[in-house]
Every structure is written in structure tokens, then in C-alpha cells.
Amino acid sequence: MSHHTLDARRLLCPMPVIKTQNFVATLAQGDTVDVICTDPGAKNDIPAWCRINGHEIIGMADKDNDIVITVRVDNQNN
Amino acid sequence: MSQNNISQNNMSQNKQTKQRKAVALISGGLDSLLAARVMIEQGIHVEGINFFTGFCVEGHTHAIRKKDKAKPKRNNALWSAEQLGIKLHIIDVIEDYKDVVINPKHGYGANLNPCLDCKCFMVSKAMEWLKENDFDFIITGEVVGQRPMSQRKDTMPVVARESGANDLLVRPLCAKNLPATYPEKQGWIDREKMHGFNGRSRKPQFKLASEFGFSDYAQPAGGCCFLTDKSYSVKLADLWQAQGERKYEFDDIMLLKMGRHLRPRPHFKIIVGREEGENNFMEGYKNQFTSMYTLSHTGPFVLIDGKTNEDDIKLAAQLTARFSHGRDASSVKVMVRQADKKEFTLDVTPIPSDDIPKEWYI
Ligand code: SF4
């Protein structure tokens, strides 16, 4: 299990979701990733995408001007 | 036999047992939501696919403008998938889509919307996905006669044929008005349990939505993308005219969604931020364009697109001053920053509003 960081700053939705989706597809079960975004829309869209695809949101925090959304990968049903 | 050469593994023997899988084009609107739901009702395993062309109305500028931030924003395609309990695959088709917008074989609709080519393109992309992921057929929410350009009785076969999907393309909302498809002929789905909607009325869809218990679904006024928007299309046409050719980059089409656009000279235009959210977003482009903002007064962030000389920069600075709180001052100090990071200031008189010809506004 490893931890990763994905830079999705200055991208507008749905690009942060697409980036997250494509990156998560390369990760293993239980891996975690901090997705760093600036579009506040990602606060709705990334959790919605995770709910649909069975992944888990384990953190969401505002840091300076960024939003950090932490996703735990669950590929078991994929 | 289907016109598509897809291995169907002893379909006839397995048809009772094999779980059939369909990929549904999910736009975020009501029709695609209903179409997918009709197929789920028939026991089909459905997954959604949504294409991001760069022109989609979803998200984007709604997120930029500060005044819109208070309203929680949702992505309707994700919302639809969640209502349906299906997976959604969002695919970035920005590059491949350019040819659809620039050279549409079937032409444009009322604005620069190439709807028929767009439908063919999306179904063909869904077909590629289907083959890669070993799915059986495609679902769309198209309804015969719903849209003047892309959803007419005579264009329905065009989409099926030109996309290469042929009889693997199922339109559950109007299937009864169309020839039987391969999944129907094989007994994977029941034609009688599909619908025969046609024409522009939305009543049958609203009724079906309420039967399924869907409420709060999205109802975009125009089409699903900015290309159906008149003022957006005018700006895109202006960009092509100024460039001398029909082409665009992703950043171009993003910037067309924000700010006021004025073209004071054929070889350059200015983009004036209308509020803080846009100003902040446009600042991200300061290493790609010459930019300016007022120092002596509060005012907008402005990008200059095109090759400019000294007079042009002065004119742009006067316009920047005009859109600032110093519009009535005798002199306004403007900071000019070139893309190569060289900075200088100019003291200018704001251009009187009567001196801004209407034609400058794009
Ligand atoms: S409105 Fe836009 S996205 Fe929808 S079919 Fe027409 S061109 Fe395609």
C-alpha cells in the first residue's frame, strides 16, 4: 500500500475528476492519494465519483488556496 | 447476424445465462437517465460513459464566478450515474473532438453546434470503448423528432451507420419507432418494454421520470454544450477569423467562456475580467499573454490576445482604465506585464465610453 499525490490545481471540473479517475486506475487496492485541487466543484464531484466507483474519501481539507481530497482506492469490485 | 464483427461467444446458447452489458451515453440530462434506467429494468448490466469535449456546460465557469460559488454545484452526469447506481467513465476527448467542431461533415445547427457529427463521434467513441471492455451494445437517450438537427427520423440511421455502431445502438425511449436492433432480435432485451416517444413534447419523459421516482433532474435550457450558445459561437468565430484559420487550443475555448471580449484592432483582442473569480482565474494565464491591471484604482484583470505594438498597448491600457473604478479620473496608472515577465507602468486617460464602438464588443 502506498501513498501518492496528484496535482489537479488550476483545472476546472470535470478535469480533476478525470485526472483522479485515470490515476486511480493505475493504483493498487488500499493505496491512498491526495488530490490537490483549486476548483471548489471538486469537493462535490470527486466524492460523487468515489461513491459511484466504490472508493473511499478519507480526508478533505482546505490548505491555503488549495483543497486536498484524500481518496483510498478500493478496486475489489472493479 | 450483426453488421459488427464482435465475438459473441456462442450467443444463442448463452442468451439465457450470459449477463449482457450495455454502455450508456450519459449527458447529465433527463433522456439519457431514463434510457439507461429502462435497460436496467430489463436486467442489463449498464455502465455510463460521458465525454468531456471542452465545451460542456457542466462545471467550469460556474465554478469560476464568485457569485455562483454559494450555490452548491453538481456534475449532472455523476449525479445521474449515482441515481442509477451505475459506474460512470468520464473520457477526455478534447483533442479528437477538434475535428468535429472544425470540419463538421453535416454542418452546424443554429450556432456553431455540429450536433449530428457530434452524435456520430460520441457513439463511435462509445463503440471503441465497448470493444475494449467487452460490452454488448450501446444505449442513448435519443428521441425521434426531439431536436431539429440531430434527432430526426432521417438522421437516426446516420448516427448508427456513421458511428459504426449500426444495429448495436439501442434508443430505449423511441425504439418502437425504429427498426429492431441486434439486442432485440437476439432476445437480450424486450422491444415491448421499451418506448415509442417522438416529437418535441417532453411530457412522456416527465411522466416516465415520475414513474421511476426521479425528481430534481437537470433540464438544460439549450443544448448540452456552449456551442449552442449564440454569444459563445460569435466569440469562437471571431477567434477563427483573427487567426486566419479554423483551429483552437483548449486554453482558447476556456477563455471564451469568461470575461468581456473586445477587439479594438483586427490583430488583437482584450479579455476583461468581470469579477474577482474571473480575475483570479485569468491571472493563471499571465505567463502566456500580456496582461494588465490598474494600480491607482481597483479594477479588472485584463489579458491581451494577439501581437501588439506600443500604440495597441496604450489603447488596451486606456480600455483597462475605462473598466476600472478610475473610469472618471483624469489619469489612471496601469501595470503592464508581458508574457516574458517584463513589467512597466503607464499613466493613461480612460477612454470615454462613447469612444468605444459597439463593434469592438465580440
Ligand atoms: S449540443 Fe453540443 S454536445 Fe450536444 S449534440 Fe450538440 S454539439 Fe454535441
Side-chain angles (χ1 to χ4, degrees), chain B residues 147-352:
Chain B
R147 298 221 185 250
M149 182 176 184
S150 57
Q151 298 188 35
R152 296 193 318 252
K153 185 127 193 164
D154 58 327
T155 60
M156 298 300 240
V158 174
V159 176
R161 189 177 62 240
E162 291 192 6
S163 64
N166 296 309
D167 57 358
L168 292 182
L169 177 57
V170 177
R171 285 102 160 195
L173 300 187
C174 63
K176 285 183 176 165
N177 304 323
L178 298 170
T181 58
Y182 189 69
E184 290 164 70
K185 289 180 193 157
Q186 292 302 311
W188 303 341
I189 53 174
D190 182 352
R191 184 177 177 85
E192 289 314 306
K193 291 188 185 138
M194 294 196 284
H195 297 272
F197 300 169
N198 81 71
R200 303 195 67 131
S201 165
R202 307 279 300 147
K203 279 194 191 133
Q205 281 94 320
F206 297 153
K207 187 167 170 276
L208 189 58
S210 95
E211 279 167 29
F212 283 137
F214 292 135
S215 55
D216 194 27
Y217 41 81
Q219 295 217 59
C224 30
C225 83
F226 272 98
L227 294 167
T228 57
D229 182 82
K230 185 159 193 271
S231 78
Y232 188 88
S233 293
V234 167
K235 290 189 194 114
L236 181 58
D238 166 80
L239 180 83
W240 287 345
Q241 162 99 28
Q243 286 174 162
E245 61 179 314
R246 294 149 68 91
K247 61 170 191 186
Y248 63 82
E249 294 305 323
F250 182 58
D251 284 340
D252 294 327
I253 61 174
M254 289 304 297
L255 285 170
L256 294 183
K257 293 177 190 171
M258 68 193 76
R260 281 190 188 90
H261 291 236
L262 289 91
R263 185 173 293 285
R265 301 283 179 265
H267 53 279
F268 83 96
K269 74 169 175 181
I270 67 170
I271 308 171
V272 184
R274 288 172 296 193
E275 46 83 273
E276 198 189 331
E278 285 190 344
N279 289 342
N280 291 341
F281 189 78
M282 283 163 51
E283 267 198 71
Y285 289 91
K286 66 184 179 196
N287 294 334
Q288 283 160 259
F289 296 90
T290 297
S291 56
M292 47 182 75
Y293 54 91
T294 47
L295 286 174
S296 51
H297 301 78
T298 52
F301 188 82
V302 174
L303 293 173
I304 320 292
D305 184 11
K307 282 208 167 59
T308 44
N309 60 31
E310 221 172 288
D311 286 345
D312 298 332
I313 290 294
K314 185 167 172 233
L315 176 58
Q318 287 184 289
L319 284 162
T320 301
R322 171 74 229 161
F323 289 107
S324 78
H325 285 117
R327 63 180 69 90
D328 299 319
S330 55
S331 176
V332 171
K333 195 179 272 303
V334 178
M335 170 64 86
V336 183
R337 184 185 190 277
Q338 295 175 179
D340 62 8
K341 298 188 178 153
K342 222 173 99 191
E343 289 180 334
F344 56 93
T345 59
L346 285 176
D347 292 299
V348 295
T349 313
I351 190 165

Side-chain angles (χ1 to χ4, degrees), chain B residues 97 113-115 118-119 122 223-225 227-228:
Chain B
Y97 194 71
N113 49 310
C115 292
C118 174
K119 283 264 151 61
M122 288 188 181
C224 30
C225 83
L227 294 167
T228 57

Side-chain angles (χ1 to χ4, degrees), chain A residues 10 12-15 17-18 21 39-41 44-45 48-49 51-53 77-78, chain B residues 52 58 60 63-64 69 73 75 78 81-82 86-90 92 254 281 284:
Chain A
R10 299 208 55 74
L12 299 177
C13 282
M15 286 309 282
V17 182
I18 297 176
Q21 165 192 270
D39 180 354
N44 295 319
D45 292 357
W49 179 82
R51 286 194 299 275
I52 291 167
N53 292 286
N77 296 319
N78 293 347
Chain B
F52 180 57
E58 287 299 319
H60 280 122
I64 303 169
K69 276 185 187 162
K73 183 191 79 72
N75 176 305
L78 286 167
E82 203 167 3
I86 63 171
K87 285 190 181 159
L88 181 73
H89 309 275
I90 310 180
D92 166 357
M254 289 304 297
F281 189 78

